[in-house]
Amino acid sequence: MIVFAIFFLFPIYLLLITALKSFDQVSLSRMWDLPTSLSFESFDRAWNGGDGVIGMRGSFFNSIYLVFPATIFSCLLGSMNGYVLSKWRFPGSDTLFTLILFGMFIPYQSVLVPLVQVLRTMNLYGTIPGLILVHIIYGIPITTLIFRNYYATVPTELLEAGKIDGADFFGIYRYIMLPISAPGFVVVAIWQFTSIWNEFLFGLIITNSPDKRPVTVALQNLSGSQFTQWNVQMAGALLVALPTMLIYLFLGRYFLRGLMAGSLKG
Amino acid sequence: MAFLMILPSIIAIAIFVYGFIGWTAFVSLTAWTGIKPDFTFVGLDNYVTVFGNGRFQTNMRNTVVFTAFFLVTCLVLGMLLAVMVDSRVKGEPFFRSVYLFPMAISFIVTGVAWRWIFTPGSVPNDPTGVNLLLQRAGLGFLQSNWIADNRVIPDWYPDWSKTKLGVPMAMVPVIIAAVWQMSGFTMAMYLAGLRGISEEIKEAARVDGCDELGVFRYVTLPLLRPVTLSAVVILGHISMKIFDLVVSMTNGGPGNATEVPGLYMYTQVFSANKIAQGAAVAMIMLVLVALLIVPYLRSSVSKEVE
């Protein structure tokens, strides 16, 4: 068990010790050794740039700026869809649900060509709002799935009681379902935040200028060139990993629920 | 009323998933090369070109190799971890969290870290990364060129193939990184399965004279078969789509030795401007994924309805 734990942790060990070394301490033959003194130079370089490195600060804030609206809107849409598809079934609603779900498994390569064309005509290509829109739309399947499963556990009697009290379709949603939806929202929001933060392909395709890049694309560019300042790369990787790692550390339970929902059989 | 509430989502999915797939399918039947759209109909020409192309055959070889090794390793390791965690040893929540945390980080972060670990340095005297560890452990003979290794083993090159068949050695580090990232997820699935098996069934088997190994072999394993099926579908479709990790670790290199269809499609469309051919590659990927996912999706949803 401990052997496996070492296998899972040693890349993080390497990231940490390398990122905490100062530039003159970095030597390839000592790459696995602990730093002799702590230095935050690498983080400073990865964050602010300088000496041929494009700092990741701008990209970090791009990602922040895109991840919140995209998460919030995909949660809301998922909640509405989940409500209808679990409690107001109509003929064909299960087929419709299956058709929506398929959208989360497709290789996104199969939509990229028209996506770029359509975003161009909407003047959203190369912009962060364009990327937000894309994340909202392709987030619909998973958010719908999680909310539908969550609302399916709400007893139908609760809705019947609402109807007797005179609540209509929206009234039931607003005054009965939404107030008990908080745990569902937490699971979906954490899942969406993590996936959108970590996403790479859409970011790469849709943002064509360096100042619009999300953080994963910036990290790939930082390390993609023939650039050998490993300590700056490792510091950059840690900066990218930090927000989702913090979420995992403190809210891992909810993250796991989203993860299991994604396999459809959790 | 109910329909009105989900209408925006239905329209969005109808256009951005099904409409766009239809459009990609259409583009794949045209002659579109270059910046300007060219919708001259050419039938299946692009598919013929792509399948006859050595580079795409290399892609398919890589997908098969990657999928096979990735799946088997994830399933075995995931099962092993789940059984160990399920035995409720001391510190079980800690170990479970450790095994699962790579799921929370980006494939790009994983790729950057593992790329450095598998950068060979100059073998044998001035090694870096894992080669350096091997040298220090006195296992220098295990040193290898890892992500820079252009060998294909067993390097079978039959007449009907335009690519060398076998395992591209540079793919091995990518598979290890992918297993590192995804085996915790497999563990979580198996763990959920294990916790769903009632103690009475196991006890009944023990009464019938099974030892612990027999209980595992004849009771636990068969009951976990649905979990294995789910894991195969989920991991299998991920490996058919793998893109981020390959880009950040090898970018398809050395040469095209580790290139996968997702990356080939990207370079065809966004660097080489061969839009129609890229669309054909995308459609092939979609069909492969659909063959795996659609039956699974239908059985999942219909089972729920019962």
Side-chain angles (χ1 to χ4, degrees):
Chain A
M1 247 179 144
I2 291 166
V3 175
F4 288 114
I6 291 170
F7 169 68
F8 282 95
L9 287 175
F10 90 92
I12 301 302
Y13 165 80
L14 182 64
L15 281 174
L16 276 172
I17 59 159
T18 311
L20 288 170
K21 284 174 186 170
S22 64
F23 296 137
D24 48 309
Q25 265 194 68
V26 177
S27 106
L28 289 178
S29 61
R30 298 172 56 82
M31 67 177 275
W32 294 99
D33 302 348
L34 286 168
T36 47
S37 62
L38 291 186
S39 152
F40 291 94
E41 281 173 20
S42 314
F43 286 99
D44 179 48
R45 183 69 53 83
W47 184 251
N48 292 314
D51 199 22
V53 177
I54 301 172
M56 292 176 53
R57 184 178 48 191
S59 298
F60 196 88
F61 285 109
N62 286 344
S63 278
I64 299 247
Y65 172 51
L66 93 91
V67 76
F68 284 102
T71 300
I72 291 166
F73 279 106
S74 57
C75 278
L76 285 174
L77 286 173
S79 155
M80 284 162 27
N81 298 341
Y83 168 56
V84 171
L85 291 171
S86 65
K87 295 296 176 203
W88 296 81
R89 296 213 189 157
F90 47 87
S93 65
D94 283 323
T95 311
L96 186 71
F97 177 56
T98 314
L99 286 171
I100 293 177
L101 275 190
F102 182 64
M104 83 190 205
F105 296 105
I106 59 166
Y108 292 129
Q109 275 85 354
S110 62
V111 296
L112 286 183
V113 172
L115 184 63
V116 170
Q117 285 181 283
V118 166
L119 288 178
R120 275 222 171 91
T121 47
M122 293 168 79
N123 278 326
L124 286 171
Y125 180 70
T127 67
I128 296 175
L131 195 51
I132 293 174
L133 178 74
V134 168
H135 279 303
I136 292 172
I137 291 174
Y138 293 103
I140 289 173
I142 181 77
T143 56
T144 301
L145 169 68
I146 301 177
F147 271 114
R148 180 179 174 275
N149 290 351
Y150 179 72
Y151 289 143
T153 63
V154 175
T156 316
E157 290 79 34
L158 210 59
L159 276 81
E160 298 297 336
K163 276 183 205 159
I164 290 165
D165 290 346
D168 59 1
F169 171 78
F170 284 110
I172 292 173
Y173 180 64
R174 171 69 188 81
Y175 295 105
I176 296 178
M177 297 304 262
L178 271 187
I180 54 168
S181 295
F185 270 98
V186 173
V187 171
V188 176
I190 286 175
W191 182 256
Q192 280 302 91
F193 183 96
T194 308
S195 347
I196 295 169
W197 186 271
N198 289 340
E199 203 277 336
F200 178 67
L201 181 60
F202 284 138
L204 181 68
I205 303 289
I206 292 168
T207 59
N208 52 353
S209 68
D211 59 329
K212 297 290 190 324
R213 272 177 201 146
V215 79
T216 47
V217 180
L219 175 63
Q220 173 57 23
N221 280 337
L222 182 71
S223 65
S225 51
Q226 286 306 317
F227 165 78
T228 49
Q229 280 178 307
W230 291 105
N231 52 331
V232 180
Q233 291 187 22
M234 298 301 132
L238 281 174
L239 288 172
V240 176
L242 189 67
T244 53
M245 284 308 291
L246 287 176
I247 287 179
Y248 179 76
L249 278 177
F250 293 108
L251 300 162
R253 225 156 29 98
Y254 299 100
F255 175 74
L256 183 61
R257 259 189 246 165
L259 191 66
M260 298 311 285
S263 69
L264 293 177
K265 296 230 168 123
Chain B
M1 256 318 216
F3 198 72
L4 212 64
M5 199 178 204
I6 53 172
L7 199 59
S9 296
I10 293 176
I11 293 172
I13 295 290
I15 296 173
F16 280 75
V17 175
Y18 294 95
F20 281 11
I21 287 173
W23 184 249
T24 305
F26 168 70
V27 168
S28 77
L29 303 173
T30 69
W32 186 359
T33 304
I35 313 265
K36 254 191 148 167
D38 170 6
F39 297 132
T40 318
F41 185 77
V42 297
L44 294 174
D45 280 8
N46 291 311
Y47 291 88
V48 175
T49 313
V50 164
F51 276 115
N53 177 338
R55 189 163 160 194
F56 185 70
Q57 292 182 4
T58 308
N59 293 173
M60 292 310 286
R61 173 199 74 193
N62 293 341
T63 300
V64 170
V65 168
F66 184 89
T67 305
F69 284 92
F70 170 68
L71 258 183
V72 171
T73 320
C74 269
L75 290 179
V76 171
L77 189 58
M79 168 93 72
L80 189 65
L81 294 174
V83 170
M84 289 194 316
V85 168
D86 192 45
S87 61
R88 296 177 193 277
V89 290
K90 220 173 130 198
E92 171 243 316
F94 168 76
F95 284 108
R96 196 182 41 196
S97 308
V98 167
Y99 301 150
L100 201 55
F101 87 88
M103 278 304 292
I105 62 178
S106 165
F107 268 126
I108 302 295
V109 173
T110 304
V112 168
W114 282 94
R115 186 165 69 113
W116 195 28
I117 293 170
F118 281 115
T119 295
S122 43
V123 176
N125 296 322
D126 215 0
T128 61
V130 76
N131 280 344
L132 179 62
L133 288 183
L134 289 169
Q135 188 195 42
R136 286 200 191 160
L139 298 168
F141 62 93
L142 285 175
Q143 286 181 353
S144 161
N145 270 327
W146 302 115
I147 55 169
D149 195 335
N150 53 19
R151 286 176 302 162
V152 177
I153 292 173
D155 200 3
W156 183 39
Y157 209 164
D159 294 336
W160 48 266
S161 169
K162 286 190 181 155
T163 188
K164 296 173 177 174
L165 300 179
V167 177
M169 291 314 281
M171 198 53 123
V172 174
V174 185
I175 295 169
I176 293 175
V179 167
W180 180 79
Q181 181 129 12
M182 299 295 297
S183 54
F185 170 58
T186 326
M187 174 201 72
M189 290 180 79
Y190 275 125
L191 204 52
L194 283 172
R195 303 244 153 119
I197 297 173
S198 75
E199 200 48 50
E200 285 100 62
I201 302 181
K202 292 191 200 166
E203 200 46 54
R206 283 186 202 112
V207 171
D208 287 346
C210 270
D211 56 5
E212 280 312 303
L213 211 65
V215 172
F216 184 74
R217 168 75 186 77
Y218 296 107
V219 178
T220 310
L221 267 187
L223 284 172
L224 286 178
R225 209 168 286 155
V227 181
T228 305
L229 180 73
S230 301
V232 166
V233 172
I234 299 296
L235 297 173
H237 104 284
I238 289 172
S239 76
M240 286 176 186
K241 301 195 296 191
I242 194 90
F243 174 78
D244 311 11
L245 188 64
V246 176
V247 170
S248 64
M249 273 188 83
T250 64
N251 205 12
N256 296 322
T258 59
E259 194 181 60
V260 287
L263 178 53
Y264 182 50
M265 182 276 172
Y266 169 74
T267 48
Q268 286 295 82
V269 171
F270 297 97
S271 320
N273 276 320
K274 294 186 174 172
I275 317 289
Q277 268 186 35
V281 174
M283 290 311 292
I284 296 166
M285 288 176 72
L286 179 73
V287 169
L288 290 177
V289 168
L291 285 175
L292 190 67
I293 285 293
V294 170
Y296 177 71
L297 211 53
R298 290 178 60 165
S299 81
S300 298
V301 174
S302 66
K303 211 174 281 172
E304 242 174 57
V305 172
E306 286 160 23

